[in-house]
Structures are given as structure tokens and as C-alpha cells.
Amino acid sequence: MTQDRRITKTKAAIREAFFSMLKENKSQKITVTNIAKRANIDRKTFYLHYDSPEAIMDEFYKSLINDFVLILEKNDFFDRSFDVFALFESLNVLIQRDIDLYRQIAKMPSYAFFWEEIKDIAKSVAIESMFEGLNIQKDELELYVEFYVAGLIAAYLKYLKNGVNLTETEVVNILSTASFYGFQKLLQKE
């Protein structure tokens, strides 16, 4: 079933208004009134499409996770053992669509659930791909994977928050190397 073009156009204007305000806005709460004014609609029209500004983010978040899974599938991430490079290469494809927006989302604790979902996807793939080949209890493997993936996502978020002066390729290479060698690679340089 196709949606009426007016509805599609109005929802797009609402989303565009919300996300442009999100990129500009460092600390102020984004209200329905602000969104409606920016989208050139009234509040009633906003409420015909969304319950709240959070509903816009929820819709966006669900779409992003679906897109991320499709990109992971395209990069054969699910068909091989846990590959950090493929994970972050896929994440970079997604994020490069609007890096400024993702940098802002990375800085906002209220949107941490997005990064938790990314982490959960990576953890489940890692556990599934490694469990059969290791002689280890599943609970033990889950702790290893939690430690490993949480660190990778935290490091990537540091990059997104402009916390490091490196390119995305350099970050991905460092994370891939660190995940494979740990501190051993650094200790070998001494």
C-alpha cells in the first residue's frame, strides 16, 4: 500500500526539521512547537503523524537498524567469523550518509540506545560465530564478547565525538588491530 504523497511530504518535512534542529541544538529540548514552526505546519498536523519528538527518533532508529543489518549482510558479516573490519566498514557506510547527525547523536546520552543495539548485534554475531569452535562455556564467552565489543563501540564513539584526531580508516584499522592483537602489538614496538 502506497502512502499519499502529501503525507509522505509532510512527514519528510517534520523529520527534516527535527534533524536539522538536532544537529544545531547542543542542549535545548526540541519541542513540538519548534518542529512545527520549522516544518511550516501547525501542531495539530504534527500530531497527525507523530506522538512526540521521541517518536521521530524511534522511527529513525528502527530504520537505521534495518539499514545497518542490510549493509552487514551485503558485506557478508553474518557469513564469516566475527570480523571487526567488516563491522566498522558497514557502520561507516551507514554513518557517512550524514556524519554530522551521527556525531551529534553520539554526544547525546538520550540516544545511547542506538549504540546499545549496534553493540547487541555485534555481540550476538560474535557469540554465534565463535561458540562452536571454542572449548569454553557460553557464559564465559559472553563475558569476553561483552568486554571486547563494548570497548570497540566505546572507541568508535570517541572518534564520532571528535575525541581523536584520526580518519575513519585509521580508526577502523586501529580497532581491527587492537581487537586481534590486544596490547601485544603495542608492547612489541618497544
Side-chain angles (χ1 to χ4, degrees):
M1 184 172 98
T2 60
Q3 203 174 49
D4 184 312
R5 283 193 298 174
R6 291 174 296 171
I7 292 171
T8 303
K9 190 174 179 180
T10 301
K11 284 184 83 169
I14 292 169
R15 285 190 305 269
E16 185 177 317
F18 174 76
F19 289 116
S20 68
M21 292 172 69
L22 185 65
K23 284 190 240 181
E24 296 166 6
N25 208 336
K26 303 294 183 229
S27 61
Q28 293 178 319
K29 182 172 170 57
I30 299 173
T31 65
V32 171
T33 301
N34 298 123
I35 296 168
K37 191 178 291 183
R38 175 80 59 102
N40 201 22
I41 59 170
D42 59 30
R43 287 172 48 90
K44 253 172 54 176
T45 302
F46 176 91
Y47 285 114
L48 287 173
H49 302 284
Y50 295 101
D51 294 337
S52 65
E54 291 78 20
I56 300 168
M57 197 63 193
D58 289 343
E59 179 183 88
F60 174 71
Y61 159 74
K62 288 174 186 165
S63 172
L64 277 182
I65 294 302
N66 287 335
D67 288 352
F68 184 57
V69 169
L70 291 173
I71 294 167
L72 287 170
E73 286 173 353
K74 185 178 178 187
N75 287 335
D76 297 326
F77 182 72
F78 300 108
D79 297 333
R80 49 186 154 168
S81 62
F82 188 75
D83 182 346
V84 173
F85 191 80
L87 173 70
F88 287 106
E89 188 177 68
S90 300
L91 197 51
N92 283 341
V93 167
L94 182 72
I95 285 174
Q96 287 307 315
R97 294 176 181 173
D98 193 346
I99 187 90
D100 294 332
L101 175 62
Y102 290 98
R103 287 189 187 283
Q104 189 62 24
I105 290 171
K107 294 174 186 174
M108 301 175 77
S110 56
Y111 298 121
F113 60 87
F114 171 71
W115 305 106
E116 280 298 313
E117 184 71 22
I118 299 291
K119 186 174 87 170
D120 289 345
I121 290 169
K123 282 178 6 187
S124 67
V125 170
I127 290 168
E128 184 179 312
S129 68
M130 288 190 254
F131 184 64
E132 293 298 319
L134 297 174
N135 187 17
I136 188 173
Q137 292 181 10
K138 192 164 186 178
D139 289 341
E140 189 177 346
L141 177 60
E142 285 177 2
L143 282 177
Y144 275 105
V145 170
E146 178 71 31
F147 175 80
Y148 176 79
V149 173
L152 291 172
I153 296 298
Y156 193 75
L157 284 171
K158 184 166 181 72
Y159 155 71
L160 280 177
K161 294 174 185 178
N162 290 319
V164 293
N165 190 22
L166 299 167
T167 67
E168 71 182 41
T169 303
E170 290 170 322
V171 169
V172 169
N173 287 333
I174 289 168
L175 294 178
S176 294
T177 301
S179 65
F180 190 75
Y181 295 106
F183 281 107
Q184 293 305 314
K185 184 79 169 182
L186 296 176
L187 297 173
Q188 290 173 358
K189 289 183 179 181
E190 288 184 9

